[in-house]
Amino acid sequence: MYVGTLSFDLLLGDVRSLKEKRSIVRPIVAELYRKYAVSAAEVGNQDLHRRAEIGLAAVSGDAGHLTDVLDQCERLVAGRPEVELLSVRRRYHGGDD
């Protein structure tokens, strides 16, 4: 069994309230869940209206498949025009840990 995690640090565009922030972050989290069957949530910077941290985790029996899924998730978030991807942290945990 292999577990992979991603943590995205995002800078949001012209956002002036936490309500506007939610209207940007929630659809990203929902799309990650719907398209790739990963667990995703906003995990940090919740009181800052122009910053967001989204974390996700995926489990697979094949390391190659897990890498493909994480790559696709990263491309989805990076391709969103309303956010600027500042950094991505990726971690893998395998059966040897």
Side-chain angles (χ1 to χ4, degrees):
M1 174 177 73
Y2 299 93
V3 178
T5 61
L6 288 175
S7 179
F8 301 104
D9 186 11
L10 305 173
L11 178 64
L12 307 178
D14 189 26
V15 173
R16 293 193 172 96
S17 70
L18 293 176
K19 186 176 180 179
E20 287 180 44
K21 175 185 179 177
R22 279 193 310 273
S23 72
I24 293 172
V25 173
R26 277 186 172 171
I28 295 171
V29 169
E31 188 173 3
L32 287 165
Y33 175 77
R34 187 182 72 252
K35 275 186 140 177
Y36 303 111
V38 296
S39 294
E42 183 180 1
V43 295
N45 296 324
Q46 282 131 340
D47 359 345
L48 303 175
H49 64 275
R50 292 207 58 224
R51 294 290 295 272
E53 184 178 351
I54 295 175
L56 70 83
V59 178
S60 179
D62 178 42
H65 177 259
L66 181 61
T67 299
D68 291 343
V69 169
L70 295 180
D71 288 344
Q72 291 172 2
C73 291
E74 187 173 341
R75 279 193 296 273
L76 183 140
V77 174
R80 298 295 291 242
E82 66 272 20
V83 299
E84 181 182 339
L85 184 57
L86 299 177
S87 69
V88 180
R89 288 180 299 281
R90 183 182 293 222
R91 291 198 172 132
Y92 291 100
H93 308 279
D96 299 337
D97 292 349

